[in-house]
Amino acid sequence: MSTAAFAQTNVTIYGVADVSAQGTNMGKGSALGANPADGGAFNLKSNSSLIGFKGTEDLGNGLKALFQIETNVNVTGGGTGPVANTGNSAFGSLRDTYVGVSSKYGTAMGGYLSTPFRSTLTSFDVMPGATGDGRIENLMGNMRMTGSALGYAANTGYLQASSSVRATALAYALPTLYGFNGSIAYTGSNNNGSTNQTTVGPVTENSTGTSITSQTVAAPQSALSMNLGWTGYGVNVAGAFQQAKVNNSFTYSGPVTVSGTDPVTGVTGNTSVTANGSGTLNAQTYTSYLIGASYTGLPGLKASVVYNRNTLSTNNPNTNSLLNGASKISNNGIYVGASYRFGNNEPRLSYANLSNTTGANSAYYGGQDGANQWTANWGYYLSKRTQVYGLVSYLKNNANSNYSMASGGTSIQPTAGQNLTTYGVGMRTNF
């Protein structure tokens, strides 16, 4: 870049390095085919460590050009256990990266962006950087379907829809006026007029019988997302809405017979597992909204509460579908959290609850697919930008749920109804 260009453009290099050393334990499952209780796993986790470049250029007449390039950084090598995967790049997946223009009328951007729904949700997180195993995104905005909810053997696979996502999009942010702010983003489909249907499944055969074996997140093929908020007097109130077309087709069939040992009775042999009917679920749209509030009016304090509702709709509500004539299934999420800094100390505590889905015929879909999670984190600041911390988090899965800890980085994977506990220490520095 020329000297003249540097004179005209403000460029900032920034980033975060956050590594934690954690142990993880997994409780015993009661479902047929469940993984055994597992504990003592030790892993280093790179908690959304990142590096970015951002800048602005004055174009005159009140206009400014702006850009941001941001990527995750693979601090721990990407392996599990004592051996890192040295073949991995130091740079991981793309984060918010865009180019845009701003004026007194607002800011327009295009690129790979956090949707307004995601930006609003993470703004209420009390954990540093909205990252780590207790982050708000782990449960809020999600709906996960497992094989055991359909009556199959337990497995680590699932089909999940999530609204807290980044997407290639065009976005417009309103200028802040009397404390009010808002934004809207749209990501269009690139299907050239086709249906863009993605087939997930069918459920496949494995050592414990027929079940969902893959871990699939139904990515939005097009989405509209928006938020609106108000900030003043130490109070922030915001709401967000997002509707995404997912166009996923999921097929299943039954009944099946599983050969193995029942973990409840201890009996070995062929066990009949009734898979509830056969047919196809054609998921058309995934809609989420939230409303939340936070209070920062006292120095060092942040207290947040969020309510979220998610709905998965189908375009073929017939008796041969998973919903058995219903047009949608829904769940609800609640998050509460607080952090308080005094001196160099900052304790943080959060709780998230994701309800079981409702709306499907219980004879076809077993439900019991919710979860809840407690997280406690205590940070001690060594400087303005660097802290060490300790954490413990407990994730309780309902009978047919298999949510994991948010940061990954461990070989422990729960099957339906298995609970996870993680604990450890870490260090986080910003630059």
Side-chain angles (χ1 to χ4, degrees), residues 274-289:
T274 302
N276 299 313
S278 62
T280 300
L281 168 66
N282 288 324
Q284 183 182 31
T285 59
Y286 187 63
T287 304
S288 297
Y289 66 83

Side-chain angles (χ1 to χ4, degrees), residues 35 38 41 43 80-81 408-414:
N35 283 342
D38 201 353
N43 298 93
T80 57
T410 177
S411 59
I412 291 181
Q413 296 290 326

Side-chain angles (χ1 to χ4, degrees), residues 22 24 39 140 180 198 215 244:
Q22 293 179 219
T24 304
M140 300 290 284
F180 288 94
T198 301
Q215 297 181 352

Side-chain angles (χ1 to χ4, degrees), residues 81-313:
V83 180
N85 184 354
T86 55
N88 281 354
S89 168
F91 299 103
S93 57
L94 193 66
R95 294 171 63 94
D96 287 39
T97 298
Y98 55 82
V99 64
V101 62
S102 67
S103 73
K104 65 179 181 180
Y105 301 106
T107 302
M109 297 175 290
Y112 187 65
L113 309 168
S114 290
T115 64
F117 183 95
R118 180 179 188 272
S119 296
T120 303
L121 179 65
T122 57
S123 72
F124 293 113
D125 203 334
V126 298
M127 297 299 159
T131 189
D133 278 328
R135 66 176 178 256
I136 195 171
E137 297 176 287
N138 196 35
L139 297 181
M140 300 290 284
N142 293 316
M143 182 182 293
R144 180 175 290 191
M145 182 186 301
T146 66
S148 58
L150 297 168
Y152 298 108
N155 196 272
T156 59
Y158 54 79
L159 174 62
Q160 177 174 316
S162 178
S163 287
S164 186
V165 297
R166 293 181 175 94
T168 302
L170 292 172
Y172 169 72
L174 293 166
T176 300
L177 184 64
Y178 301 109
F180 288 94
N181 59 83
S183 62
I184 185 169
Y186 175 72
T187 175
S189 177
N190 62 352
N191 61 5
N192 295 320
S194 66
T195 61
N196 214 15
Q197 189 82 12
T198 301
T199 300
V200 180
V203 290
T204 55
E205 194 78 22
N206 61 26
S207 60
T208 58
T210 301
S211 191
I212 302 175
T213 57
S214 61
Q215 297 181 352
T216 303
V217 177
Q221 296 172 357
S222 65
L224 177 67
S225 184
M226 62 188 72
N227 64 10
L228 182 65
W230 179 82
T231 301
Y233 305 101
V235 176
N236 175 45
V237 180
F241 169 86
Q242 183 167 301
Q243 185 170 82
K245 291 186 177 181
V246 292
N247 288 336
N248 281 113
S249 177
F250 173 63
T251 60
Y252 59 97
S253 61
V256 298
T257 300
V258 176
S259 179
T261 301
D262 190 317
V264 178
T265 64
V267 176
T268 300
N270 291 331
T271 303
S272 175
V273 178
T274 302
N276 299 313
S278 62
T280 300
L281 168 66
N282 288 324
Q284 183 182 31
T285 59
Y286 187 63
T287 304
S288 297
Y289 66 83
L290 69 83
I291 184 168
S294 64
Y295 180 71
T296 57
L298 294 177
L301 174 68
K302 180 178 181 179
S304 299
V305 60
V306 183
Y307 170 76
N308 160 232
R309 184 168 177 83
N310 310 295
T311 300
L312 182 69
S313 302

